[in-house]
Amino acid sequence: MERKGKSKRPVVISTINNRVVQRSILDVLQKIPEVRAYIDHDGSWGGIEGKGVGPAIDRVYRAIKGGGAWFLKSDVANFFTDIPRDFTVKRLNSMYGDERFKELVRAATITELSNMAELAEDANLFPIHERGVAQGCCLSPLLSNLLLRDFDNAIASSDVVCVRYIDDFIIVGPTQKAVQKAFQRGLRQLEIHNLTAYQPGDGSGKASIGKTEVGFDFLGAHIQPGFIRPSRQSRANLIDKVEKAMNESFGLFKRPSEIRKRRASYIETLGTVDRIYRGWVGQYPYTNAHQFMAAIDDEVESLVDTYSRRFQRISEPYDRLDRMRLLGVWRAADSKFDPIISQPKAPHEENRNEL
């Protein structure tokens, strides 16, 4: 997957059959008491039933209120492609005894690419060898939490709080020295599995350290004492998605017969924008930044107004049929008919029969 200003992300989209099997396996694994107890660590908040982004943000904020004056945040470098898969699967399989199910779990974590030739050299980005798990596979977060349980334990101490969401993590503590020492403990644990984490000041832009009173971004939220809101990057990503949907529609306004096929008519585009925006706002039920959210309402409304005015201007010269196509309202002229009577009657004959 192409990412603006970033390296490509190797996302695997499994077949429907494989996704059904993987999801069924995950449901079984999550019900095994030993598995649940192992991954449900106080430092782990992603990919665990009953947890998630909101509770993770709440835990970070409680750590700040409890005296956390400093933070250090980072993420595990190249995590999904570098997970020691065999080691992690063996750890998982040691928690239950069904040998046939163990083999099924092992097979479900192996990545096979059906479009290897098409990917060419990009195929090497995917976990097709002995290391790595597939991003996009529902089992990957579980395996991540299994492996990083030792990492969570290494960082945990009485003076710092670590909140990890899969491969992203933040350490909150009373002093700069405390969070740095905890970070070093985590790095030593990662080295056991030939993994590492980005470090503040390394130029990657993926790690930082500072005072919590200044504020910081984590999991798409900006957090500072007394205030939690969506991050500016998250806001920018939202506006980019809305503008992309509208621009795609604009590009098809000169081809009315194609706009419905691409689901980019005026009505459908407004529906797309509605789904994008509602989904985005739904990620932040925990925010108290009401003015910030109102400003985004205004920004999206302005984009919609501009789009509507442009639609009115561009569609005005078209005839009634094409205008309805641009609008997104179906017309009989766009339908295919298979009449029983091949020769239609003259209009005056139809009228006479209706009398």
Side-chain angles (χ1 to χ4, degrees), residues 44 83 126 162 167 262 272 275:
S44 180
I83 288 178
F126 292 83
C162 179
D167 57 337
R262 300 279 292 274
T272 298
R275 288 189 294 273

Side-chain angles (χ1 to χ4, degrees), residues 132-159:
V133 294
Q135 284 187 270
C137 173
C138 64
L139 291 169
S140 297
L142 173 66
L143 296 176
S144 304
N145 288 331
L146 283 163
L147 178 68
L148 293 178
R149 167 62 185 265
D150 295 335
F151 172 84
D152 297 334
N153 286 336
I155 291 182
S157 68
S158 59
D159 61 341

Side-chain angles (χ1 to χ4, degrees), residues 111-180:
T111 300
E112 295 181 355
L113 302 176
S114 60
N115 59 338
M116 183 83 77
E118 179 184 340
L119 289 168
E121 62 182 20
D122 285 345
N124 292 322
L125 299 173
F126 292 83
I128 55 177
H129 305 295
E130 68 277 3
R131 292 181 69 86
V133 294
Q135 284 187 270
C137 173
C138 64
L139 291 169
S140 297
L142 173 66
L143 296 176
S144 304
N145 288 331
L146 283 163
L147 178 68
L148 293 178
R149 167 62 185 265
D150 295 335
F151 172 84
D152 297 334
N153 286 336
I155 291 182
S157 68
S158 59
D159 61 341
V160 302
V161 170
C162 179
V163 174
R164 179 180 57 79
Y165 197 94
I166 310 301
D167 57 337
D168 293 312
F169 64 92
I170 185 167
I171 304 168
V172 178
T175 64
Q176 181 179 4
K177 182 178 180 180
V179 297
Q180 288 177 324

